[in-house]
Amino acid sequence: MRPHARPMDVPVSPYGHDRLAYLLRLLRPAPARWITRAQLIAFESTALTDRHLAELEWKLESDARFRDLFDADPIAAAETNGMQQLARALEHEIRGLISLAERVADDSGYRATLEADPLTALHAEGMPAMTAEPLLRALAVGDETMAKLPEVVAHEYEPLSQAVRLRILLLGSTAVVDAIRARANSI
């Protein structure tokens, strides 16, 4: 504290700490969609650029050692190669994919929706059609659900967002697919 500064006078609350704790426990937890959206806002505010993604794609295409490292642990591969910002984005996307896998495993209503119309259910989660097949394979859904996917996915008119490009790369990683399967093992 500065020598001449005085502490602020904060009025004493009529509620004690125990009463506040009790009242907070009465609140329902935030819906999962709110949490996911808040995480997306945090991700979208990072300064990840197309250059970062292009560098990652180039490294995956041209460097077999990096490709093996990425397959085993995408975050560590990015960090080892000095791609700290990209590593944070990869970590965020992996958490999102695992969160979706947990939702599929824990929410029978969502699982039924996913099995009935996988493209619509995944689109509502921000997953475009081109990520549906690798994601559903990672989730180890049944053949009946896989059969509901179109044979050919027409390319969308809009360019892929950075998040979608990262998801596509991550769904090609053995480590990420294993983590998704571990969370969705009750399907």
Side-chain angles (χ1 to χ4, degrees):
M1 214 188 290
R2 292 185 316 224
H4 300 293
R6 290 186 293 158
M8 264 184 24
D9 291 326
V10 179
V12 176
S13 171
Y15 300 104
H17 292 290
D18 292 337
R19 176 76 175 150
L20 286 174
Y22 169 76
L23 291 171
L24 287 172
R25 281 193 302 269
L26 291 177
L27 295 173
R28 288 183 287 165
R33 298 185 125 234
W34 289 7
I35 295 167
T36 302
R37 181 63 191 136
Q39 291 170 339
L40 285 175
I41 290 169
F43 173 72
E44 290 166 355
S45 67
T46 64
L48 188 66
T49 65
D50 285 332
R51 192 184 107 257
H52 291 112
L53 287 171
E55 182 180 355
L56 174 62
E57 290 164 340
W58 179 80
K59 294 276 290 175
L60 287 169
E61 289 174 13
S62 65
D63 186 343
R65 186 184 69 76
F66 180 79
R67 195 170 35 252
D68 291 341
L69 288 172
F70 187 87
D71 190 50
D73 186 345
I75 297 167
E79 287 175 344
T80 301
N81 283 278
M83 303 171 169
Q84 306 305 330
Q85 200 166 1
L86 183 62
R88 287 192 311 273
L90 291 168
E91 184 176 14
H92 174 79
E93 285 304 321
I94 291 170
R95 273 188 270 132
L97 290 168
I98 290 173
S99 174
L100 180 59
E102 289 170 344
R103 182 172 180 205
V104 169
D106 296 339
D107 184 345
S108 59
Y110 181 73
R111 188 170 45 254
T113 301
L114 180 69
E115 290 170 351
D117 188 356
L119 284 181
T120 302
L122 292 175
H123 183 70
E125 297 297 321
M127 302 291 286
M130 64 188 317
T131 61
E133 184 176 349
L135 179 61
L136 292 176
R137 288 199 191 289
L139 292 169
V141 298
D143 291 336
E144 290 178 16
T145 303
M146 293 299 290
K148 294 176 183 171
L149 295 177
E151 290 288 323
V152 176
V153 176
H155 294 284
E156 297 175 359
Y157 294 112
E158 296 180 22
L160 297 176
S161 70
Q162 293 173 349
V164 170
R165 289 170 59 195
L166 281 176
R167 287 180 198 141
I168 291 169
L169 294 172
L170 288 169
L171 289 169
S173 164
T174 302
V176 173
V177 170
D178 289 347
I180 291 170
R181 283 197 180 134
R183 301 301 171 122
N185 61 5
S186 66
I187 297 176

